[in-house]
Structure formats: C-alpha cells, structure tokens
Amino acid sequence: MSETYLLRGASPLGAKPTDVLVRDGHVAQVGSRPSAKGATVVDAAGLVLLPGLVDLHTHLREPGREDSETVETGTVAASVGGYTAVCAMPNTLPAADTAGVVEQVYRLGQQFGRCDVQPIGAVTVGRGGTKLAELGAMADSAAGVRMFSDDGDCVSDAVLMRRALEYVKAFDGVIAQHAQEPRLTEGAQMNEGALSGVLGLRGWPAVAEEAIIARDVLLAEHVGSRVHICHVSTAGSVEILRWAKSRGYPVTAEVTPHHLLLTEDLVASYDPIYKVNPPLRTGEDVEALRSALADGTIDAVATDHAPHPVEDKECEWLAAAMGMTGLETALPVVQQAMVDTGLLDWVGVADRMSVRPARIGRLTGHGHGVEVGAPANLTLYDPAASWEVDPAESVSRSRNTPFAGRTLPGRVVATFLRGRATVLDGKPQ
Ligand SMILES: [Zn+2]
C-alpha cells in the first residue's frame, strides 16, 4: 500500500522551510511546489524534519516479560517518540543468546513492530558471563545480528571479553559493554558520594564504570575490534573515552536522556522511580556528559528504555527494580538538555540520535539525510510545543517514567516508516 504525503513548510534539520514530498516509501522531492496529486497534505510550518530516530538500547521484554512490554507496545512507544528503528536488548526470558531466539524477536518485529526491530545478541550463554554464546550463528541468522551485549550485566571476565571482540571482528560486529565492575558494586543502590552516606544507601562508585571502560578500550585496540560503551554516566568515563578516541581506538559510546538531565539529588526522596543502573550521578557528571555529547566524544543518545510493572517500582527502594522508560520522552529531554542550552543544533541532534546510532548498529536504511531518494524514515517535530508528562498517557505497557509531572519542550507530530505514517497528529496510526 503506497501513501503519499506532502509535508508543507517543514524545516529539514532546522534549515529554512521547504516542502517535502514522500511517495513510494522514499523522499521524492524537496523544494517548493512539488507536484503532489493525491497527496495527504501535512501542515509542517514551524516543524523540524529529522531522519527517523534510531535507538541502540531498548528493552522490549519479549519473550518472557510481556507484563512489562511487548514488541508491539514497545515499538508503538518508539514510534510516538519519533523512532523508526530500535535495537532490542537480549536480557529477555529466555535470553536472546541463540539464532532461534534472535530470529523470534526479529520476526515479532516484522509482524507487530511499528518500527524496525534489530535484535542484539547476548555475548555469553544465558548472559551468565562464563561461556561465549553462538555469536556466529546469530550473525548468520535471518536477524543478521551485528551487535552483542550482556546488558544488565557486565562482561567482567577480561579473557571472555577479549575472545568476544576477536570473534565478532570477522563479521564487523561490535560488543556493547555494560561497564560495571561487579565486585565494586555488590549491593550498590545509588551513586557513591557524600549523599549516599547521608541517605544510608550503599554507594556505586564511579570507578566501577571507569575501570571497565579503561580496560575495554585497551582490549579493543589490542584486538582491532569495535567496542561500544553503553550508558556512560561519569565525568571520568568521558575523560577515558576522550583519550581513547584521540588515539584512534575503535570505541563508540552512548548516553541516556536521563543521565543528561537528572542528578542523584532526586534519590533523597527515596522514590524508586529514580532507581536506575547506572545510577543518577552528580551535576558535574551531567555537565561533562553534555559537553561530551556536544563535541562527539559520546557518539549517541540511547534510551535504555527499561519498562517495569507497577509492583516492581512502587515499593521500597531496596526492593525496587532498576530502570526507567524513555522512548516517548527522549527527544524532548534532549531538546531541553542540549538544544535549548545551545550545545547542539538540529543537525547535531540528527547526528547523535539517528546517523551515528545507525552506523554503530550497522542498520541499513536508517540514519540517512533528508534528501531525494532516501528511504522515508522521518520524524516531524514541533520544538515550540510544551507538555506536562502524564504517565497515564503513555502508550508503553509500563509507566515508570522519571519525568512524570515535569514540563518538557517539544512534541513529535508525525513519524514515517518507509513512507507510511506510524504517527500522525501525535497519535499512533
Ligand atoms: Zn545496561
């Protein structure tokens, strides 16, 4: 089924307004007065047109935890947030550690997905951290896995990490590391510092993240294989990445929206909505993360969308699950933290939320410019809007957003997946 849309007066990546014609799944024309017989006209005056966003780090929870999220509900949330592709983390039940499970997730994405779903494979069997999973079989499967991660847990064994890097090198794969030295973070509840002492919660030292990143950038360089660092959260991690990149090491990194906006002070409420892995850090860390994203030391924004059912979050701090939802609020949070502060323009946002994530994940058909002939994976965004986040309005199956009650700028007006509207007037189609 072919749909034709004329986006009238849109600003591609914030440039001067023009008309964009979407036809047969592609950007057919850019410029004034395109011939648009039969097109659905969308008034895009004042709206920024971005390449469809790409998330390197989404927990879709299926198979196994469909009470939290499914491929269908998670990708509806993604489309409402402006995403046209998400990479699904393998910490499902069972873990996505075989060709069979990654193919299952891939097919669920094709069947029910409101955006493209690219499964990430586990690095070790059952994410157990002791035996390498069938990386080659997952790469050769219909899912064509290129990114592997034990996310939720760190690949802490240096020998195993080295072997994984060596293995994926053959097919241009990448290991996405959840950098958390497990012995240094046993029982950890929040960022280690003065506040953790005051609150009586066990501290989660920055060095537990930084030590693993330091080790792994050295291993990646030694092996000559790509490592990607998930959810970087400390100023020290930024310094190590900056050093590694200055030497040309094969490392990329991501930061979450929540680590760009929120600080550990929120934990003083003991509200588990703010319990997350890695933990919220200090204002200085937030400043360092923003600067690093602005100068490209950190390549990408990734949501770490981690839906949890109410009973796992609305309980006492120690018992609560770690994680926050993020797909529906990511772009507004990035606008507030990065654009409204003058640190990034819309070209920069497109680069960090679409172009580079697509390149890191080796996702073809995503992360291109808004240009004639490109696949029409597009997001139409109103930066002048503002809204109060109401968890009840979320289309995710879970409600654990840390931004509830906050006023955020900007709203996604429309999302197009290969020319088909998945969102129009802010509503899933
Ligand atoms: Zn993680």
Side-chain angles (χ1 to χ4, degrees):
M1 181 185 60
S2 176
E3 299 176 30
T4 306
Y5 291 95
L6 176 60
L7 314 180
R8 182 159 278 157
S11 299
L13 281 62
K16 76 174 172 43
T18 187
D19 295 343
V20 175
L21 184 68
V22 171
R23 192 168 53 204
D24 298 328
H26 288 79
V27 176
Q29 286 185 56
V30 179
S32 53
R33 299 188 199 189
S35 57
K37 274 221 169 84
T40 303
V41 177
V42 178
D43 178 11
L47 306 186
V48 176
L49 185 60
L50 298 167
L53 307 183
V54 175
D55 192 20
L56 284 169
H57 195 140
T58 306
H59 297 279
L60 290 176
R61 302 297 191 214
E62 191 174 5
R65 285 309 301 266
E66 291 84 353
D67 57 330
S68 307
E69 198 78 284
T70 63
V71 168
E72 183 169 17
T73 60
T75 56
V76 172
S79 66
V80 166
Y83 287 87
T84 52
V86 298
C87 298
M89 276 296 177
N91 59 336
T92 46
L93 292 172
D97 62 352
T98 62
V101 182
V102 293
E103 281 188 1
Q104 180 189 355
V105 174
Y106 183 69
R107 294 198 199 291
L108 284 168
Q110 288 187 315
Q111 195 173 356
F112 298 110
R114 309 305 302 270
C115 66
D116 287 346
V117 174
Q118 175 58 57
I120 297 172
V123 177
T124 64
V125 173
R127 299 174 52 259
T130 54
K131 187 169 180 285
L132 221 51
E134 303 165 4
L135 309 183
M138 288 188 270
D140 290 341
S141 75
V145 176
R146 287 294 175 274
M147 184 174 258
F148 299 87
S149 181
D150 273 359
D151 183 59
D153 292 295
C154 182
V155 181
S156 62
D157 183 321
V159 174
L160 213 51
M161 185 64 180
R162 177 186 178 167
R163 284 210 197 103
L165 287 165
E166 285 170 345
Y167 205 104
V168 302
K169 187 182 175 183
F171 47 82
D172 191 31
V174 58
I175 304 296
Q177 177 66 294
H178 171 119
Q180 179 189 356
E181 210 295 314
R183 294 274 291 137
L184 288 171
T185 50
E186 274 173 25
Q189 296 292 320
M190 68 170 291
N191 180 48
E192 181 179 288
L195 187 60
S196 62
V198 171
L199 298 179
L201 292 172
R202 187 171 296 177
W204 188 311
V207 68
E209 174 174 311
E210 295 155 5
I212 294 292
I213 297 176
R215 183 198 76 177
D216 286 354
V217 296
L218 293 169
L219 275 177
E221 169 63 10
H222 181 67
V223 172
S225 183
R226 294 193 294 140
V227 69
H228 175 75
I229 308 298
C230 297
H231 42 52
V232 171
S233 73
T234 79
S237 297
V238 165
E239 285 313 302
I240 295 163
L241 289 166
R242 196 167 272 137
W243 173 83
K245 286 198 162 191
S246 74
R247 297 169 72 100
Y249 287 9
V251 57
T252 54
E254 68 187 36
V255 62
T256 72
H258 48 270
H259 286 108
L260 289 171
L261 196 65
L262 307 178
T263 62
E264 62 169 2
D265 307 294
L266 293 163
V267 178
S269 66
Y270 291 100
D271 184 342
I273 200 76
Y274 302 116
K275 185 172 177 180
V276 67
N277 177 349
L280 299 177
R281 304 286 189 179
T282 68
E284 283 174 19
D285 293 308
V286 169
E287 286 307 309
L289 294 168
R290 289 182 181 188
S291 304
L293 184 64
D295 71 20
T297 300
I298 292 176
D299 300 83
V301 175
T303 66
D304 195 4
H305 176 80
H308 289 290
V310 169
E311 60 271 23
D312 289 354
K313 286 302 270 187
E314 292 184 6
C315 52
E316 65 166 306
W317 181 278
L318 289 177
M322 298 189 207
M324 304 168 164
T325 58
L327 287 167
E328 294 168 79
T329 48
L331 188 49
V333 169
V334 169
Q335 183 187 342
Q336 184 165 93
M338 301 299 296
V339 180
D340 293 352
T341 52
L343 290 167
L344 271 189
D345 58 13
W346 293 108
V347 174
V349 170
D351 183 67
R352 308 300 196 274
M353 297 186 80
S354 178
V355 178
R356 287 211 223 184
R359 200 185 300 152
I360 291 165
R362 299 295 192 250
L363 296 172
T364 51
H366 293 274
H368 45 73
V370 179
E371 57 206 19
V372 174
N377 296 318
L378 299 166
T379 298
L380 206 46
Y381 184 72
D382 180 5
S386 93
W387 56 300
E388 188 178 310
V389 179
D390 178 359
E393 288 178 5
S394 172
V395 294
S396 165
R397 184 159 282 181
S398 293
R399 297 285 177 269
N400 52 306
T401 170
F403 304 111
R406 275 180 191 256
T407 299
L408 292 177
R411 284 224 87 155
V412 172
V413 174
T415 308
F416 299 91
L417 178 64
R418 286 182 285 282
R420 190 172 63 84
T422 54
V423 174
L424 266 186
D425 293 326
K427 305 263 183 317
Q429 298 298 294

